């Protein structure tokens, strides 16, 4: 009897090829109502973020009047920020631009699962931020196009995607197993 029990313990349970991966994905997938709720919440947060982004970037800023210049050379504005006498101003400019990109990296893969993937998130963020910068330069008095802002925003999206967006997207929108 003991021998039969030990044999049973030693034998692995038979599985079809790829079943372990499928089980793991199914464990992390949310039920349809929860997926819909999570996607709707992410959409609401994305709309709220778009409003905040518009208020921050498409209104004249007295704080950046001294820095108003069109910059098409990567790194030029970063050097100007870092050359300011007050470190706090540089941190606000650089950190603020990075933080503006983080919600894209977190929310975009949840709202639009086809954008899941580092390159897709970065490309979409860069395009959106380029449009924002073009609008700033063309429409807003006291603002100008700055390629460094696009780079910092896109870097923020990368940080958001790597820290949280990828996991959230995989949890909400589990990939289907290939058969």
């Amino acid at each position: 009897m003991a021998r039969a029990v030990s044999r049973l313990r030693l034998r692995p349970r038979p599985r079809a090829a790829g079943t372990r991966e499928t089980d793991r994905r199914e464990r992390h997938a949310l039920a349809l109502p929860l997926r819909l709720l999570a996607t709707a919440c992410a959409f609401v947060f994305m709309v709220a973020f778009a409003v905040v982004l518009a208020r921050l970037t498409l209104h004249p800023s007295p704080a950046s009047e001294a820095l108003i210049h069109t910059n098409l050379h990567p790194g030029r504005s970063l050097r100007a920020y870092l050359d300011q006498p007050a470190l706090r101003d540089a941190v606000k400019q650089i950190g603020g631009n990075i933080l503006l990109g983080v919600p894209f990296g977190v929310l975009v893969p949840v709202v639009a699962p086809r954008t899941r993937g580092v390159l897709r998130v970065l490309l979409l963020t860069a395009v959106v931020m380029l449009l924002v910068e073009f609008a700033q330069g063309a429409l807003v008095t006291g603002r100008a196009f700055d390629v460094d802002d696009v780079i910092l925003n896109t870097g923020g999206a990368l940080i958001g995607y790597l820290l949280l967006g990828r996991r959230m997207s995989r949890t909400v929108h589990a990939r289907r197993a290939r058969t």
Side-chain angles (χ1 to χ4, degrees), residues 73-75 78 97-98 129 146-156:
H73 302 285
L78 292 175
N97 278 312
I98 290 172
M129 293 307 174
D146 190 343
V147 71
D148 287 335
D149 289 352
V150 175
I151 293 168
L152 291 170
N153 296 147
T154 305

Side-chain angles (χ1 to χ4, degrees), residues 59-69 81 84 93 136 142-144:
H59 287 296
S61 171
S64 62
E65 284 179 5
L67 300 171
I68 296 174
H69 62 283
Y81 297 151
Q84 293 178 15
Q93 288 290 336
Q136 276 185 337
R143 296 276 190 166

Side-chain angles (χ1 to χ4, degrees), residues 75-124:
R76 184 179 285 175
S77 292
L78 292 175
R79 280 190 295 279
Y81 297 151
L82 294 173
D83 287 343
Q84 293 178 15
L87 179 64
R88 191 174 104 201
D89 293 337
V91 169
K92 278 176 50 177
Q93 288 290 336
I94 294 170
N97 278 312
I98 290 172
L99 286 176
L100 277 177
V102 171
F104 274 88
V106 174
L107 297 173
V108 165
V110 176
V111 172
R114 288 188 175 192
T115 62
R116 185 178 8 200
V118 173
L119 293 178
R120 290 178 182 169
V121 169
L122 293 180
L123 182 64
L124 182 62

Side-chain angles (χ1 to χ4, degrees), residues 7 12 39 48 50 52 55 70 82 90 103 111 113 115 117 128 134 153-154 159 164 166 172-173 179:
R7 269 192 283 185
T39 303
V52 170
R55 290 190 67 83
T70 297
L82 294 173
V111 172
T115 62
V128 169
F134 283 135
N153 296 147
T154 305
I159 292 168
L164 196 57
R166 179 175 41 180
V172 174
H173 306 288
T179 55

